[in-house]
Amino acid sequence: MSSLPLADLFDLFLRFLMLSLLSIGGAMSTAPEMHRFLVAERGWLDDADFTTAIALAQAAPGPNVLFVPVLGFQVAGVVGAAAALVGILLPSTLLSLGVSRWGAQRRDTPAVRAFTAGLAPVSVGLVFATGWLLSLPFIAAPDHRLGALALIAATMAVTLKTRLAPIWMIVVGATVGGLGWV
Amino acid sequence: MTPATPDHPRPHSPWHLFIAFTVLALQGFGGVLAVAQRELVDRRRWMTREEFVDAYSVAQLLPGPNVVNLSLMLGDRFFGWRGAFAAISGMLLAPLVLVIVLAASYNQLASFPAVAGALRGMGAVAAGLILAMALKMLGTLRRNALGPLLCALLGLTTLVAVTVFRAPLAWVVIGLGTAGWCLARWRIARREGARP
């Protein structure tokens, strides 16, 4: 964590502002471009820093976009974290607010109804794909495969059959994982 | 959309939204989306499953993190820009502080095997939550204007494109989304043409 010159900090902020409008499907889709900028072009971070930022954001609670402020933090401390987070969110947030208000006024027109109807199956397919990709490491690793698959299945059953808050399932997962059962 | 009724409650204030989004964000290990659907639809009932799928579909297509866009839309619907700001702040503020503290102390934590095991267990629960959410979203397609066959075709193509071919997400959403939009326009036009 070095203290970055103000000009470089502003440069990082501008880069992330531009990436924000390209982050269709989430900030993670711009991770390769951030890697190119921070690691290859500027040399502010190395590969291990970059991977750690993504792993931490996925392990910690909250949206995965938080890997972006972690990258900023690694580059320039708390100020870097703030610059990266505001940069990656401001343009996309303003655009989304505008588009969702525009769409809400035209909710009953055939074009907007067709838009949500046509996208819904794609969204459902994407959520299944995410579930599959998240399960894949547990299916691929032979260690504790049965325990992990049982935990995934139990979580699904509890979610579908009860109204239990997810935090309790997470606590159970962390406990059995910490004991080395999954 | 549905007005406030006992069956369909709404938040009392932006502050209430902020607290609700903080609570749900802090439960979102490995992704917030499944927790958001559980808290906002199943538990608080601020949205129906259909509204959630609609909002998520739009959030998906716009740039920016889906869950942040989703919070923004829900907050805006209840309290305008103040609600949007409250929801996004709730979604981000507490997790941001936590993740930065974690990043600052990462090197000491990573040496404990129990920590690695606990993260693995939490990852498995996160996968289960997402899969259960996908199954719930599947039910909302029953009333979709596309009809069951086209829905299955679009959904399965999406799944295969992302998992087997690892296609870039932007291409999948724009390509298949445009196909879905055209098909839905055609189906809606035909159905409404049949009963003028």
Side-chain angles (χ1 to χ4, degrees):
Chain A
M1 225 182 309
S2 54
S3 62
L4 209 63
L6 209 60
D8 282 342
L9 199 66
F10 191 65
D11 191 23
L12 179 137
F13 178 65
L14 279 185
R15 286 286 187 125
F16 281 40
L17 273 183
M18 279 187 283
L19 284 183
S20 176
L21 290 175
L22 297 176
S23 61
I24 293 174
M28 202 56 91
S29 58
T30 62
E33 183 57 26
M34 289 181 186
H35 182 274
R36 207 183 59 75
F37 174 64
L38 296 171
V39 180
E41 193 182 313
R42 296 304 174 100
W44 287 335
L45 301 178
D46 61 25
D47 278 326
D49 294 332
F50 198 85
T51 312
T52 302
I54 292 183
L56 278 176
Q58 277 178 341
N64 289 336
V65 64
L66 292 175
F67 81 93
V68 178
V70 175
L71 288 173
F73 180 76
Q74 288 170 326
V75 172
V78 173
V79 185
L85 184 64
V86 174
I88 198 67
L89 285 180
L90 193 62
S92 66
T93 300
L94 291 178
L95 182 73
S96 297
L97 192 61
V99 170
S100 84
R101 285 184 174 179
W102 184 89
Q105 286 162 6
R106 292 164 186 76
R107 195 180 292 127
D108 295 323
T109 63
V112 172
R113 274 166 52 212
F115 183 81
T116 49
L119 263 171
V122 177
S123 299
V124 176
L126 282 175
V127 177
F128 270 108
T130 308
W132 170 250
L133 294 176
L134 287 179
S135 313
L136 212 53
F138 301 103
I139 299 167
D143 293 354
H144 308 297
R145 184 190 286 153
L146 273 182
L149 292 186
L151 185 56
I152 293 175
T155 307
M156 289 174 69
V158 170
T159 308
L160 292 173
K161 295 289 174 203
T162 72
R163 284 197 172 201
L164 191 71
I167 188 67
W168 303 116
M169 299 177 232
I170 300 280
V171 167
V172 170
T175 310
V176 297
L179 293 170
W181 292 352
V182 296
Chain B
M1 236 152 263
T2 325
T5 63
D7 261 0
H8 204 78
R10 46 177 296 153
H12 316 306
S13 63
W15 180 244
H16 190 193
L17 267 177
F18 175 82
I19 298 290
F21 275 87
T22 301
V23 168
L24 83 83
L26 286 176
Q27 298 184 74
F29 292 84
V32 183
L33 193 62
V35 179
Q37 120 95 38
R38 184 133 187 96
E39 289 283 326
L40 300 175
V41 179
D42 294 353
R43 287 164 59 85
R44 295 187 192 266
R45 282 178 288 160
W46 289 346
M47 308 172 91
T48 65
R49 281 186 188 179
E50 284 77 10
E51 286 168 353
F52 187 84
V53 174
D54 282 359
Y56 178 61
S57 300
V58 177
Q60 186 96 252
L61 198 73
L62 290 166
N66 301 335
V67 287
V68 174
N69 286 343
L70 192 79
S71 332
L72 168 103
M73 289 177 197
L74 190 71
D76 183 49
R77 185 196 300 168
F78 288 126
F79 300 109
W81 67 267
R82 287 184 315 143
F85 186 74
I88 294 184
S89 311
M91 182 63 96
L92 291 174
L93 212 55
L96 176 67
V97 172
L98 261 175
V99 81
I100 294 294
V101 170
L102 263 181
S105 55
Y106 173 72
N107 290 331
Q108 289 93 313
L109 281 176
S111 53
F112 293 104
V115 173
L119 289 180
R120 224 180 106 77
M122 285 151 66
V125 170
L129 285 173
I130 286 276
L131 286 171
M133 171 185 164
L135 287 174
K136 284 184 188 171
M137 288 174 82
L138 203 57
T140 66
L141 295 183
R142 226 168 294 160
R143 269 175 275 165
N144 193 290
L146 283 171
L149 196 69
L150 285 174
C151 277
L153 195 71
L154 272 173
L156 284 175
T157 311
T158 306
L159 182 63
V160 170
V162 174
T163 56
V164 180
F165 297 105
R166 302 287 171 120
L169 198 60
W171 290 46
V172 172
V173 172
I174 292 171
L176 291 173
T178 308
W181 183 64
C182 293
L183 287 168
R185 284 215 75 163
W186 167 68
R187 293 287 297 226
I188 289 171
R190 213 179 53 161
R191 201 174 50 185
E192 290 180 356
R195 44 174 173 78

